[in-house]
Amino acid sequence: MKTKNSAHLKNAVLGFAVGDALGVPFEFKARDTFKAADMVGYGTHNQPAGTWSDDSSMLLATLESLIECKKIDYDDIMQRFIRWVDNGDYCPYGECFDIGHTTLTAVGRFKNGYDPVRCGGRGFGDNGNGSLMRILPIAFFEHTVDDILNLSSLTHAHEISLMSCRLFVQLAENLMSGMTKEEAIQNLKCCVDECENIPKIASFPREKIRSTGYVVDTFEAAVWCLMTTGSYRECVLEAVNLGDDTDTVAAVAGALAGIYYGIGSEKGVPEEWINKLAKLDWINGLIDKGITAQ
Ligand SMILES: [Mg+2]
């Protein structure tokens, strides 16, 4: 399966992983009880600087599956999630230190023989951001809307999660097509009431932005950070400084900002942050395989 938009793959993946790593030390901290200004270590999960978490693990596992299988193979993706949870594959230091409840339950269902696209939680309470954080690789391969919904359903099958994933992929694709960020937002097709704030989110004051692990809050917060800042660095630091689910908000925002601003120069993903990422050579090798995939 040939990749598409491959010129943006590196910017999106590194933008995502850097955002994740910036947020890891501050995850779950209340807003305005700390100030993130650089990539630092330790804090919440006691990990060195540059450590990324479940968000990047699942995104990279999905990307590797799409590249190696040359198709969307849901069984293979779930097998890789099992190796992530049980063996620490796709982790910076061989151990999974961060996983959502709905994702863990879904992986358990797959181990018990469920069809992979029927493993995801379907209750309202299953609308954490666990599928939003891993959905992006599909934007770089030929896919249908149903493919996005099925990929989310591996872990998160409620309509709100499905629509959030669909909108995030659409937004990334709009940005990759060369639209301004304002055009990219205005051209989204929102299909559930929960997502109706997205097109006007830039006008919301900071105190109205919730940065929790609820998928709609995460997506709104990430889009708000993209729309109200003028560079990658400002965008992801704003995301982390919203507090609470800092790593996922900054990862989702970071992917969008990476696509929009690119890498390096004044506004792009800072090279000094990229160079701090754990397992950078492996990530870059995977990105290169994706760019050249046929
Ligand atoms: Mg995380």
Side-chain angles (χ1 to χ4, degrees), residues 38 64 73-74 84 98 113 121 131-132 164 195 201 205 218 238 251-253 261 268 276 278:
D38 202 352
E64 191 177 69
D73 184 329
Y74 301 114
W84 161 57
D98 187 20
S131 64
L132 186 75
S164 300
C195 297
I201 200 79
T218 300
E238 183 73 78
V252 171
Y261 299 110
K276 279 191 183 171

Side-chain angles (χ1 to χ4, degrees), residues 74-75 78 102-103 105-123 126 134 149-158 162:
Y74 301 114
D75 263 291
M78 286 300 263
T102 300
T103 296
T105 303
V107 169
R109 287 196 190 103
F110 182 69
K111 283 183 182 172
N112 286 327
Y114 278 53
D115 189 294
V117 297
R118 301 202 59 84
C119 287
R122 290 166 184 276
D126 293 311
R134 61 174 173 78
L149 309 186
N150 285 334
L151 187 57
S152 174
S153 296
L154 300 180
T155 56
H156 294 67
H158 189 277
L162 302 184

Side-chain angles (χ1 to χ4, degrees), residues 138-187:
I138 201 166
F140 297 94
F141 298 83
E142 292 300 330
H143 65 268
T144 63
V145 169
D146 279 347
D147 293 332
I148 300 173
L149 309 186
N150 285 334
L151 187 57
S152 174
S153 296
L154 300 180
T155 56
H156 294 67
H158 189 277
E159 180 188 34
I160 293 174
S161 287
L162 302 184
M163 286 309 124
S164 300
C165 286
R166 187 176 167 186
L167 283 178
F168 177 41
V169 172
Q170 226 179 73
L171 179 54
E173 289 176 332
N174 286 355
L175 292 172
M176 290 191 275
S177 77
M179 290 183 193
T180 65
K181 58 187 180 180
E182 290 78 17
E183 290 167 345
I185 287 289
Q186 295 313 320
N187 279 287

Side-chain angles (χ1 to χ4, degrees), residues 20 24 27 45 53-55 98 133 245 247-248:
D20 184 3
V24 162
E27 193 178 7
H45 298 284
S53 68
D54 56 341
D55 310 62
D98 187 20
M133 68 170 70
D245 206 340
D247 60 331
T248 306

Side-chain angles (χ1 to χ4, degrees), residues 268-285:
V269 188
E271 313 256 12
E272 78 261 23
W273 285 351
I274 293 173
N275 290 331
K276 279 191 183 171
L277 287 177
K279 282 197 174 169
L280 178 60
D281 289 347
W282 173 73
I283 297 173
N284 275 331

Side-chain angles (χ1 to χ4, degrees), residues 10-274:
K10 189 178 187 104
N11 303 348
V13 172
L14 292 178
F16 183 95
V18 166
D20 184 3
L22 282 168
V24 162
F26 303 102
E27 193 178 7
F28 310 128
K29 292 197 178 180
R31 184 175 302 179
D32 297 332
T33 61
F34 66 94
K35 184 83 180 167
D38 202 352
M39 190 177 282
V40 297
Y42 305 100
T44 304
H45 298 284
N46 200 29
Q47 303 287 325
T51 302
W52 32 269
S53 68
D54 56 341
D55 310 62
S56 299
S57 296
M58 287 195 288
L59 179 133
L60 294 165
T62 303
L63 177 62
E64 191 177 69
S65 176
L66 292 172
I67 294 167
E68 292 186 355
C69 295
K70 302 183 191 299
K71 62 174 183 168
I72 306 168
D73 184 329
Y74 301 114
D75 263 291
D76 181 80
I77 293 168
M78 286 300 263
Q79 294 287 356
R80 289 171 198 263
F81 291 167
I82 289 177
R83 297 204 293 278
W84 161 57
V85 174
D86 290 352
N87 303 349
D89 288 11
Y90 305 104
C91 290
Y93 309 111
E95 193 185 2
C96 172
F97 62 85
D98 187 20
I99 183 168
H101 174 74
T102 300
T103 296
L104 190 58
T105 303
V107 169
R109 287 196 190 103
F110 182 69
K111 283 183 182 172
N112 286 327
Y114 278 53
D115 189 294
V117 297
R118 301 202 59 84
C119 287
R122 290 166 184 276
F124 180 79
D126 293 311
N127 284 309
N129 51 26
S131 64
L132 186 75
M133 68 170 70
R134 61 174 173 78
I135 203 77
L136 190 61
I138 201 166
F140 297 94
F141 298 83
E142 292 300 330
H143 65 268
T144 63
V145 169
D146 279 347
D147 293 332
I148 300 173
L149 309 186
N150 285 334
L151 187 57
S152 174
S153 296
L154 300 180
T155 56
H156 294 67
H158 189 277
E159 180 188 34
I160 293 174
S161 287
L162 302 184
M163 286 309 124
S164 300
C165 286
R166 187 176 167 186
L167 283 178
F168 177 41
V169 172
Q170 226 179 73
L171 179 54
E173 289 176 332
N174 286 355
L175 292 172
M176 290 191 275
S177 77
M179 290 183 193
T180 65
K181 58 187 180 180
E182 290 78 17
E183 290 167 345
I185 287 289
Q186 295 313 320
N187 279 287
L188 289 178
K189 314 237 177 322
C190 297
C191 358
V192 289
D193 290 348
E194 284 76 6
C195 297
E196 69 186 6
N197 285 339
I198 292 286
K200 50 183 190 256
I201 200 79
S203 66
F204 283 33
R206 183 173 183 258
E207 57 270 22
K208 285 259 173 32
I209 301 300
R210 292 179 298 258
S211 46
T212 76
Y214 171 47
V215 65
V216 175
D217 287 353
T218 300
F219 188 44
E220 286 185 356
V223 174
W224 184 82
C225 292
L226 176 74
M227 301 308 288
T228 58
T229 57
S231 69
Y232 177 90
R233 184 187 293 264
E234 285 172 20
C235 173
V236 289
L237 289 176
E238 183 73 78
V240 174
N241 285 318
L242 290 175
D244 203 345
D245 206 340
T246 51
D247 60 331
T248 306
V249 175
V252 171
L256 297 172
I259 291 167
Y260 198 59
Y261 299 110
I263 288 173
S265 75
E266 210 184 312
K267 292 188 171 183
V269 188
E271 313 256 12
E272 78 261 23
W273 285 351
I274 293 173

